[in-house]
Amino acid sequence: MASAVAPIFGVLGSCMGCMVFVENIAKQEPSAMNLMTFSTFLFISTVGLVSTSKFFTVKNQIPLKGYFKTVTMFFIVNVVNNQALNFHVPVPLHIIFRSGSLLATLILSVVMVGKSYSARKYISVFAITIGIVICTLATSTQGDSGLSMEEASKHYKEWTIGIIMLTFALLASAVLAIYQQQMYEKYGKHPDEAMFITHLISLPFFLIMGSDIVSAATKLSASAPHSVFPWLPSLWVDLIASCLLQYGCIKYVYQLNSRVDSLTVTLVVTLRKFLSLIVSIVYFKNPFTPQHWLGAILVFAGTLAFADIWGSQTANKQDEKKKQ
């Protein structure tokens, strides 16, 4: 477990730090989400080209055809999740929604793979679903009193589109998890290679949004000078920081996955999401009502119950008694 300490703190620190910069960009220039996604993919691909592929001199353990379904779904999930922020979806709700991935995973695992689950897991998923619904309704009723009727109607329509996008991304992320599991079962686990290839092959897809990326880059260049690096626009500094931290977040998750069991990974990722939620509320002063807190508690408690931390701890104690 000692070897997992660094990855655990790496996941918590880098992922939470990344969300701060992502939310700052989303608040000041929401149209930059495609640019942010592209920049992250480009950075991870460049690092992987040097450190993992060594400029394509290292032979792939998984053939390129094995990545096709995974890469396609991976790209869609990342782009749709980030684009949802462009439709007035608050970051706290965005975090809570993405924490409900267990719901989509359970449903699609039953439908696509034919798995069966205990009653406790279905109850956990029900709690997660109710939590997301409560948070969504609480956000929809907040409104902006300073908007005209026409502006408020447009705002609500865009927000609804954002919620639909998050729902789609939630289901797509579950399909992605199934595709990744099937790929690893067939070819073996090669996380560094998979991390590099999935980001590299996704880069050509960004050509379809090239004009949007260029337009966003122009807007970021017009932002105010950074207080620490006055020769650089502030939003470009935020973008660079988000790329570095996002790389660290993904890298540490892969490392953690290779050193501890999936239960521990689930708990760390859940804790990271909860802490990111707290940071978003406190640092950016996002509105968070008692209804939001109730929904958030249901989502995170349901996630932990799904992972069965209490049952696993009891089982471990029983095992220790048997050994004695």
Side-chain angles (χ1 to χ4, degrees):
M1 185 66 180
S3 62
V5 172
I8 288 174
F9 280 99
V11 169
L12 296 178
S14 57
C15 293
M16 288 169 57
C18 179
M19 282 306 301
V20 170
F21 291 105
V22 168
E23 182 163 0
N24 193 47
I25 295 172
K27 283 182 175 293
Q28 295 189 55
E29 195 53 63
S31 63
M33 293 302 101
N34 283 332
L35 171 62
M36 185 180 66
T37 308
F38 170 71
S39 300
T40 300
F41 275 54
L42 180 62
F43 180 79
I44 293 175
S45 299
T46 302
V47 173
L49 178 65
V50 177
S51 62
T52 302
S53 176
K54 301 188 186 306
F55 297 97
F56 301 112
T57 59
V58 177
K59 183 180 178 181
N60 288 346
Q61 300 297 313
I62 301 175
L64 291 179
K65 66 178 181 179
Y67 283 106
F68 178 74
K69 292 192 298 185
T70 302
V71 168
T72 303
M73 198 58 62
F74 179 75
F75 175 80
I76 291 173
V77 168
N78 276 272
V79 171
V80 173
N81 265 324
N82 284 332
Q83 274 296 103
L85 293 172
N86 197 25
F87 289 86
H88 302 288
V89 176
V91 171
L93 181 60
H94 192 275
I95 294 171
I96 294 170
F97 234 95
R98 296 184 70 174
S99 299
S101 57
L102 284 175
L103 165 64
T105 301
L106 181 142
I107 294 174
L108 293 182
S109 293
V110 172
V111 174
M112 296 178 62
V113 186
K115 287 188 176 182
S116 59
Y117 295 94
S118 65
R120 176 185 52 76
K121 288 191 182 292
Y122 284 102
I123 294 173
S124 301
V125 167
F126 179 74
I128 293 170
T129 306
I130 295 299
I132 291 176
V133 171
I134 290 174
C135 286
T136 303
L137 293 176
T139 303
S140 68
T141 56
Q142 284 175 350
D144 291 306
S145 58
L147 297 178
S148 65
M149 185 66 70
E150 183 179 349
E151 290 173 330
S153 176
K154 178 183 177 182
H155 182 94
Y156 184 79
K157 288 179 181 178
E158 291 181 348
W159 177 84
T160 303
I161 293 173
I163 294 299
I164 293 173
M165 292 173 70
L166 283 179
T167 303
F168 171 79
L170 200 61
L171 294 172
S173 65
V175 175
L176 171 62
I178 293 173
Y179 285 165
Q180 286 177 328
Q181 183 178 352
Q182 292 173 342
M183 182 180 72
Y184 286 147
E185 289 175 351
K186 185 174 182 179
Y187 300 105
K189 290 187 176 182
H190 305 282
D192 288 340
E193 177 189 305
M195 179 177 167
F196 165 60
I197 294 296
T198 51
H199 286 84
L200 178 68
I201 300 181
S202 298
L203 288 178
F205 288 104
F206 285 99
L207 289 173
I208 61 178
M209 52 189 77
S211 58
D212 180 73
I213 291 173
V214 172
S215 175
T218 302
K219 292 178 181 178
L220 260 63
S221 298
S223 62
H226 194 267
S227 57
V228 180
F229 309 104
W231 59 90
L232 289 174
S234 58
L235 289 183
W236 273 111
V237 175
D238 288 344
L239 183 64
I240 294 171
S242 71
C243 287
L244 291 169
L245 290 168
Q246 181 73 356
Y247 173 80
C249 178
I250 296 173
K251 184 75 173 178
Y252 282 123
V253 168
Y254 275 118
Q255 286 184 10
L256 189 63
N257 197 39
S258 66
R259 299 183 187 185
V260 299
D261 55 57
S262 58
L263 172 63
T264 304
V265 176
T266 300
L267 296 181
V268 173
V269 172
T270 301
L271 177 61
R272 182 265 295 178
K273 290 175 180 177
F274 185 76
L275 293 177
S276 296
L277 179 64
I278 299 301
V279 170
S280 177
I281 296 166
V282 175
Y283 186 79
F284 288 99
K285 296 181 174 60
N286 282 309
F288 216 69
T289 65
Q291 289 87 348
H292 283 98
W293 278 115
L294 174 60
I297 290 172
L298 285 172
V299 169
F300 290 111
T303 301
L304 297 180
F306 188 95
D308 195 20
I309 58 168
W310 304 284
S312 64
Q313 288 175 348
T314 303
N316 289 336
K317 290 180 179 178
Q318 291 176 348
D319 291 339
E320 289 177 2
K321 289 181 179 179
K322 289 180 180 179
K323 291 178 182 179
Q324 293 175 355

